Amino acid sequence: DAGVIQSPRHEVTEMGQEVTLRCKPISGHNSLFWYRQTMMRGLELLIYFNNNVPIDDSGMPEDRFSAKMPNASFSTLKIQPSEPRDSAVYFCASRKLATSTDTQYFGPGTRLTVL
Amino acid sequence: AQSVTQPDIHITVSEGASLELRCNYSYGATPYLFWYVQSPGQGLQLLLKYFSGDTLVQGIKGFEAEFKRSQSSFNLRKPSVHWSDAAEYFCAVVFLNTGNQFYFGTGTSLTVIP
């Protein structure tokens, strides 16, 4: 199994630009999570989906952030417009919803730098 | 509210010494507990998990953890630390009645001195 795939691995952009992060969950997993990790705030849950439906987006910092999951094998996290304080590592994770004791499987992350 | 606490932000141990990383959770529901390790520039990797049965669980890389319901704790241990164990360690919990949401601690950074 290829594991959770995230792209790009690194993104450097200028303030005000639109940024799109992509995630492909593990095949057969029907729950997907987006996290943000910074030194100051640690690991924060931004949003998660069950069966492609957003369940909890209370962690999304503001309207500049949006996430979609158009199908079971793809999700995007978009920041528009981006700001320097958005610089962080963004992780995607997936798991099987029906197996409540199973772990989340994390992708390698996207390191975002906003200049 | 549900929460997970890792009281130690940073720990330094000598190679070969024993290690214990603390994790406490709050809330009354049945917890499923996990420990993850994150090496620099990497994602989180599962070390071990507990959901029922024997309260002492064994994981990868020689780690173990003990669930103590009376103390709401799930501390991670290793008898002899190796230099390659230097990393960030995260405790996480899923509560039975909340289904799918994982709650992560703030992490403990481990430095290993040769």
Side-chain angles (χ1 to χ4, degrees):
Chain A
D1 198 327
V4 176
I5 299 173
Q6 291 187 247
S7 64
R9 292 294 309 276
H10 301 273
E11 177 80 31
V12 180
T13 190
E14 293 185 340
M15 183 174 62
Q17 296 298 305
E18 177 180 295
V19 175
T20 300
L21 311 181
R22 298 174 177 79
C23 175
K24 177 179 170 55
I26 292 173
S27 178
H29 286 191
N30 53 359
S31 189
L32 184 140
F33 304 76
W34 281 102
Y35 292 89
R36 178 173 67 177
Q37 186 179 39
T38 62
M39 289 291 292
M40 292 295 293
R41 302 172 70 93
L43 193 64
E44 303 174 276
L45 176 65
L46 299 177
I47 185 171
Y48 76 93
F49 297 82
N50 288 347
N51 296 312
N52 311 337
V53 176
I55 301 301
D56 184 353
D57 65 353
S58 59
M60 296 285 265
E62 48 199 273
D63 292 345
R64 297 184 298 107
F65 285 69
S66 62
K68 294 182 179 178
M69 192 165 186
N71 57 62
S73 59
F74 183 66
S75 177
T76 59
L77 178 68
K78 185 176 292 186
I79 308 173
Q80 167 62 20
S82 59
E83 297 182 3
R85 60 191 168 126
D86 302 330
S87 297
V89 180
Y90 291 80
F91 288 102
C92 177
S94 70
R95 72 191 292 249
K96 289 181 183 178
L97 181 58
T99 310
S100 59
T101 59
D102 200 8
T103 182
Q104 294 183 3
Y105 294 84
F106 282 79
T110 295
R111 182 175 294 276
L112 173 65
T113 302
V114 183
L115 303 175
Chain B
Q2 306 94 327
S3 72
V4 180
T5 302
Q6 292 181 246
D8 304 306
I9 296 174
H10 186 247
I11 285 182
T12 300
V13 299
S14 298
E15 191 168 15
S18 63
L19 172 69
E20 181 169 27
L21 303 182
R22 295 182 290 167
C23 174
N24 294 92
Y25 66 92
S26 65
Y27 197 53
T30 301
Y32 298 147
L33 296 150
F34 305 81
W35 273 100
Y36 294 85
V37 60
Q38 183 182 29
S39 298
Q42 303 295 316
L44 277 68
Q45 180 187 18
L46 180 69
L47 280 176
L48 47 79
K49 64 181 180 181
Y50 168 81
F51 52 90
S52 67
D54 193 345
T55 56
L56 183 64
V57 294
Q58 304 296 321
I60 62 171
K61 304 183 181 185
F63 284 91
E64 67 178 25
E66 186 172 12
F67 172 55
K68 294 184 178 180
R69 185 181 296 276
S70 62
Q71 299 178 17
S72 298
S73 69
F74 189 57
N75 294 348
L76 182 71
R77 301 194 295 250
K78 186 169 184 177
S80 178
V81 170
H82 188 262
W83 64 266
S84 60
D85 294 325
E88 188 89 13
Y89 292 81
F90 292 91
C91 180
V93 61
V94 175
F95 294 103
L96 181 61
N97 66 340
T98 65
N100 201 32
Q101 185 168 345
F102 276 57
Y103 297 90
F104 281 86
T106 51
T108 297
S109 176
L110 175 66
T111 297
V112 180
I113 298 173

